[in-house]
Amino acid sequence: MEGLEVIECERCPELCESRSRIVNGTGPDDADLLFVGEAPGEHEDDGGEPFVGRSGTVLDEALREHGLARDAVRITNCVRCRPPDNRDPHKEELTNCREYLEREIDTVDPELVVTLGKVPTEHLLERDAAVTKEAGTIEDARLDGTAHRVLICVHPAATLYDGSQQETFETAIATAAEVAGVAEGDGSGQSRLDGF
Ligand code: URA
């Protein structure tokens, strides 16, 4: 690992086969908000960046609508290599990659960790979660021994399959923007925490 970038990793034999590359997190290493998804999909594996496919478009639009520029936040995944056929990462793969995620959370030390969907929510909170019901709630969690605030959010892809999830998703993103100090409708993507 160099800084927050994993350059080489062979911990998950199956993912070494299915990936084209390791997809590291993007965005400032001192961001107020750290969004955590599940694992790269096809587009992310091609492009080498998290959330650049359809889910990424949904996320970008919601961020913009709530005054957050994509490059002002940090975006990463629980697992950095694309699983075969876009299956969910196995428990062992999540465990293998956890050290990298914990180091990222520790270094960035965001105001809020935003979990996008069931996999990152359950992985980081270490409990079962009913994400649709719990979306928008903030919970204190000890991650790698350090206290962090975690905002539960539905996965952006959920809005593509179920329109009723759109409002749930938007409400959680609005809460994230509020915590980051962005005024509703500001549109600048500039956090009021900047400069302090
Ligand atoms: N879904 C995720 O969970 N992560 C990505 O990077 C893309 C889609």
Side-chain angles (χ1 to χ4, degrees), residues 3-65:
L4 296 179
E5 306 264 295
V6 179
I7 309 297
E8 257 187 52
C9 183
E10 309 272 314
R11 291 180 187 178
C12 306
E14 216 185 330
L15 301 194
C16 287
E17 290 292 317
S18 57
R19 74 179 180 205
S20 313
R21 69 198 82 247
I22 296 170
V23 179
N24 286 296
T26 54
D29 61 10
D30 60 351
D32 291 331
L33 300 175
L34 171 63
F35 291 84
V36 183
E38 184 177 312
E42 183 184 2
H43 296 285
E44 292 74 24
D45 182 66
D46 276 347
E49 256 193 61
F51 286 97
V52 289
R54 284 177 78 203
S55 305
T57 305
V58 173
L59 178 61
D60 289 355
E61 276 172 10
L63 291 175
R64 203 173 323 117
E65 211 160 289

Side-chain angles (χ1 to χ4, degrees), residues 22-148:
I22 296 170
V23 179
N24 286 296
T26 54
D29 61 10
D30 60 351
D32 291 331
L33 300 175
L34 171 63
F35 291 84
V36 183
E38 184 177 312
E42 183 184 2
H43 296 285
E44 292 74 24
D45 182 66
D46 276 347
E49 256 193 61
F51 286 97
V52 289
R54 284 177 78 203
S55 305
T57 305
V58 173
L59 178 61
D60 289 355
E61 276 172 10
L63 291 175
R64 203 173 323 117
E65 211 160 289
H66 295 282
L68 290 161
R70 180 184 167 106
D71 60 10
V73 304
R74 192 160 180 100
I75 306 176
T76 196
N77 280 305
C78 293
V79 163
R80 292 175 192 241
C81 300
R82 182 191 182 196
D85 304 319
N86 291 337
R87 65 156 168 77
D88 283 356
H90 293 156
K91 210 167 176 52
E92 192 188 324
E93 294 160 352
L94 288 163
T95 303
N96 287 343
C97 219
R98 189 168 177 116
E99 180 196 341
Y100 305 137
L101 179 60
E102 284 185 346
R103 195 173 313 175
E104 193 165 20
I105 294 170
D106 228 38
T107 305
V108 176
D109 192 20
E111 293 287 321
L112 211 52
V113 175
V114 186
T115 52
L116 297 171
K118 193 174 180 70
V119 169
T121 303
E122 295 192 338
H123 182 49
L124 286 178
L125 297 180
E126 296 183 86
R127 64 166 175 83
D128 290 343
V131 171
T132 304
K133 272 204 204 132
E134 296 184 50
T137 59
I138 296 176
E139 188 163 317
D140 289 323
R142 291 200 84 76
L143 308 173
D144 196 23
T146 309
H148 289 280

Side-chain angles (χ1 to χ4, degrees), residues 133-187:
K133 272 204 204 132
E134 296 184 50
T137 59
I138 296 176
E139 188 163 317
D140 289 323
R142 291 200 84 76
L143 308 173
D144 196 23
T146 309
H148 289 280
R149 293 168 82 206
V150 175
L151 170 68
I152 299 171
C153 185
V154 293
H155 195 281
T159 67
L160 299 169
Y161 306 120
D162 175 1
S164 71
Q165 298 286 315
Q166 183 70 31
E167 198 182 331
T168 311
F169 178 66
E170 294 267 349
T171 304
I173 299 295
T175 301
E178 213 174 286
V179 170
V182 178
E184 191 67 29
D186 172 334

